[in-house]
Amino acid sequence: MKDSEVKVLDENDYIFIKALNNLGMSKNAATTVAYLMNVDEASSREIEISTGLRQPEVSLAMRLMCNQSWVSIHSEKKPGKGRPMKIYSLAVPVDEIISYYEDRVYKESQATISAIKKLKAMSKQVFPIPSK
């Protein structure tokens, strides 16, 4: 049997995950980002073991992150038969991922403010304030 070191998430990682989740990132993707921040690279299995996520959850998180070009993937042949293992690493600095959500939240806020202004303008037209 091979000895290997398994990194686990700590309290600060969970605070980071919650903050990303509050910005709109899925919890599974946020957990995966937090783990990949702490390692150079990891297989899907290593991510599962270290984060407590199940294989389908890791796959969905990776698909989201691949679509955004936030992770790089390379294959590594395992000894013996079987498919090569996919190895993942962050392809961009975490600040870039945070900036993506910052921009998204800003745009959503601007849209909400615009809608409120329209409602206020419309309400004055439909329900004018009576003069005394």
Side-chain angles (χ1 to χ4, degrees):
M1 187 175 281
K2 176 175 128 179
D3 284 336
S4 67
E5 185 180 308
V6 176
K7 297 194 183 276
V8 293
L9 301 174
D10 63 17
E11 187 177 336
N12 287 333
D13 293 320
Y14 287 109
I15 292 168
F16 187 81
I17 291 165
K18 186 163 179 55
L20 281 176
N21 187 236
N22 288 340
L23 289 175
M25 182 183 270
S26 75
K27 187 175 181 193
N28 297 337
T31 303
T32 305
V33 167
Y35 179 74
L36 288 175
M37 280 175 37
N38 292 301
V39 298
D40 292 331
E41 59 182 21
S43 69
S44 181
R45 185 73 184 132
E46 289 169 332
I47 296 168
E48 292 169 40
I49 292 167
S50 298
T51 62
L53 296 174
R54 295 176 300 120
Q55 186 277 324
E57 295 169 328
V58 173
S59 292
L60 287 171
M62 285 303 163
R63 186 175 307 136
L64 168 100
M65 294 182 357
C66 284
N67 289 343
Q68 295 293 336
S69 301
W70 292 339
V71 292
S72 58
I73 306 168
H74 70 273
S75 295
E76 199 171 274
K77 183 85 169 103
K78 294 187 287 188
K81 295 182 180 179
R83 276 202 238 167
M85 196 172 25
K86 288 184 180 178
I87 305 296
Y88 302 97
S89 60
L90 285 179
V92 298
V94 176
D95 287 348
E96 192 172 314
I97 296 171
I98 295 168
S99 291
Y100 169 83
Y101 284 97
E102 178 183 26
D103 291 345
R104 199 166 102 179
V105 168
Y106 179 78
K107 287 175 185 170
E108 289 170 0
S109 297
Q110 291 301 99
T112 301
I113 289 168
S114 177
I116 290 169
K117 286 180 181 178
K118 280 183 187 175
L119 285 172
K120 283 182 176 181
M122 288 174 64
S123 70
K124 288 177 182 170
Q125 292 172 357
V126 176
F127 305 106
I129 299 173
S131 55
K132 293 185 181 184

